[in-house]
Structure formats: C-alpha cells, structure tokens
Amino acid sequence: MARLFNVEVFSKTINGGGSPPYARYTSGEQFYALLGSADTIILQVILEATEVAATTVTVEWQTTNATEENTWQGPGVSGAAFAATTADQPKVVFIQVPTDKIGSNGRVSVSSDQPGATVRVIACGRSNG
C-alpha cells in the first residue's frame, strides 16, 4: 500500500468547558479533498499540553461528498475520546478511519471538556493502487 500523504491537518489550542456539547473545531477546508483522496487513513492525535490536570479530548472523523456545512456525516462516524493528566503529556492516540467512511471529502472535528488544550492531528493517507 503506497503512502499518498502524511500531513498535519490540525494544530490549535482549543477551549471547552461547561457542559456538552462542547465547542468544536475542525480541520481547514484546504485538506477536505486531500483527506478524501486516500483509500486508508490513520489519524495520529497528539495532546501536547493542557491547562487543567484532567482533560478529555474528543476527535471525530467526518466525511461528505459535498462541502456544504450541513452535509457532513458525523459526529460519531469514527472517533476517540481520551483523558490525559498533565503528568502524561504529550498523550498520543491513533485512530484508523473505517474504509467505508471515506467520502470524496474528509475532515476532523476536535473538542475538549476543559480550556487550554493544545491538540495536533496528523493524517497519513495510503492508496491501494
């Protein structure tokens, strides 16, 4: 399986807090078509730092065949939530996107239950051909 790309699609300090649903941040639209071009995608999520000792970050894959905001399938298509303390950072989690959940466009949605979470997402896309 040949590698098509290995690119950082998200790198921000995000805020959350209060009660669900928390504020959601998404990867930029310059990555939509690129993320949809792969046959297989693995996301590496890195929680680099937090302001609060126990923080839960949720990363969800979203897909669509049209780029209008109301056509994205998700949240909940594929995702991972993980908690981290300030002692175990950076915290790294890998997510394999199911192959039947890759449309012509893709993005990641990131949220946190606490303020000041610095999150990076790197996407590795591979081709079957």
Side-chain angles (χ1 to χ4, degrees), residues 6 19 72 89 91 99 107 115-116 122:
N6 192 49
S19 58
W72 290 94
Q89 292 174 16
K91 180 84 170 192
T99 56
R107 72 180 184 185
I122 293 112

Side-chain angles (χ1 to χ4, degrees), residues 12-53:
K12 293 182 184 171
T13 298
I14 62 173
N15 288 310
S19 58
Y22 305 117
R24 294 201 168 276
Y25 301 80
T26 58
S27 54
E29 69 179 74
Q30 69 270 29
F31 300 113
Y32 290 177
L34 178 68
L35 292 172
S37 70
D39 294 318
T40 303
I41 296 177
I42 305 242
L43 302 173
Q44 180 181 11
V45 182
I46 304 165
L47 177 59
E48 289 188 329
T50 60
E51 292 179 4
V52 180

Side-chain angles (χ1 to χ4, degrees), residues 51-120:
E51 292 179 4
V52 180
T55 299
T56 300
V57 172
T58 303
V59 175
E60 295 172 322
W61 171 259
Q62 297 179 337
T63 190
T64 187
N65 288 326
T67 57
E68 292 82 16
E69 282 300 309
N70 62 348
T71 61
W72 290 94
Q73 183 180 0
V77 171
S78 173
F82 59 94
T85 65
T86 53
D88 66 356
Q89 292 174 16
K91 180 84 170 192
V92 178
V93 174
F94 287 90
I95 303 168
Q96 180 159 356
V97 177
T99 56
D100 65 335
K101 302 298 183 189
I102 300 174
S104 64
N105 294 287
R107 72 180 184 185
V108 293
S109 171
V110 182
S111 64
S112 172
D113 68 342
Q114 301 294 336
T118 302
V119 181
R120 294 173 56 211

